[in-house]
Amino acid sequence: MAGGVTAARQLDAAHAEFIQGGVSVIVASRNAARVPDAVRGCGCRVSRDRRRVTVLVDRGRAGTLLDDVAGNGMIAVVFSQPSTHRTIQLKGADAVLVAARPADRTLVATHREDWIAELMRIGYSREFAEAFWGPLPASLAAVAFTPTAAFQQTPGPAAGQPLER
């Protein structure tokens, strides 16, 4: 895709660091009838070569989304930092369910704490942030994909533009 991240290009280090930080993660897909589904992600990890992204979701809340991904491989993930509204969106067409790793539980706990700290920086109480994020999931699902498009979604004149490297 012109201007976006293609399968042949990797995320740059700054974008990889951003999406693995204390950001809000929203994972979406659609079914064969093009009906969308979205769930809150619990964090993500980026491969060492920065060509694959794996998003983690609470399996108990993501049944329909996981069915949609398994059925068509389509995924869109939005990563947004509450304090700045900095937001990027990644899209992929090869999403697959993969086994969650034992270390992913620690990754999710760290993501939750980073996200809570992010909300506290902008004036929310710890109690509110914890309640908003919710408890740690009992069971994790992992969805891996190759970003084929990446967009700047921070509100403003550049929203919707391909993400610059």
Side-chain angles (χ1 to χ4, degrees):
M1 251 181 220
V5 175
T6 66
R9 289 177 57 198
Q10 65 193 85
L11 292 172
D12 68 25
H15 291 130
E17 180 180 3
F18 175 75
I19 69 174
Q20 293 177 100
V23 295
S24 172
V25 180
I26 304 296
V27 184
S29 190
R30 61 161 177 84
N31 66 19
R34 298 186 182 269
V35 175
D37 192 19
V39 298
R40 180 171 295 284
C42 302
C44 86
R45 56 181 148 84
V46 177
S47 65
R48 286 181 198 255
D49 67 2
R50 299 190 309 269
R51 294 181 191 277
R52 296 278 290 169
V53 174
T54 301
V55 289
L56 303 165
V57 296
D58 180 341
R59 184 178 295 279
R61 296 178 181 212
T64 304
L65 176 98
L66 298 174
D67 291 344
D68 294 346
V69 166
N72 64 38
M74 304 298 291
I75 193 167
V77 186
V78 175
F79 303 89
S80 185
Q81 184 178 40
S83 63
T84 64
H85 300 293
R86 178 181 175 201
T87 305
I88 65 173
Q89 179 186 49
L90 302 178
K91 292 184 177 186
D94 67 347
V96 293
L97 306 179
V98 296
R101 299 175 181 171
D104 287 339
R105 296 209 67 65
T106 301
L107 185 151
V108 168
T110 300
H111 176 267
R112 182 178 188 267
E113 284 303 312
D114 291 348
W115 191 83
I116 288 168
E118 171 69 14
L119 285 187
M120 291 173 63
R121 274 192 287 283
I122 57 175
Y124 290 98
S125 70
R126 178 170 191 86
E127 293 78 18
F128 173 85
E130 286 176 345
F132 193 83
W133 202 95
L136 290 171
S139 179
L140 288 176
V143 180
F145 70 101
T146 305
T148 56
F151 300 95
Q152 170 65 258
Q153 297 293 12
T154 304
Q161 296 297 310
L163 191 65
E164 296 297 324
R165 288 177 47 84

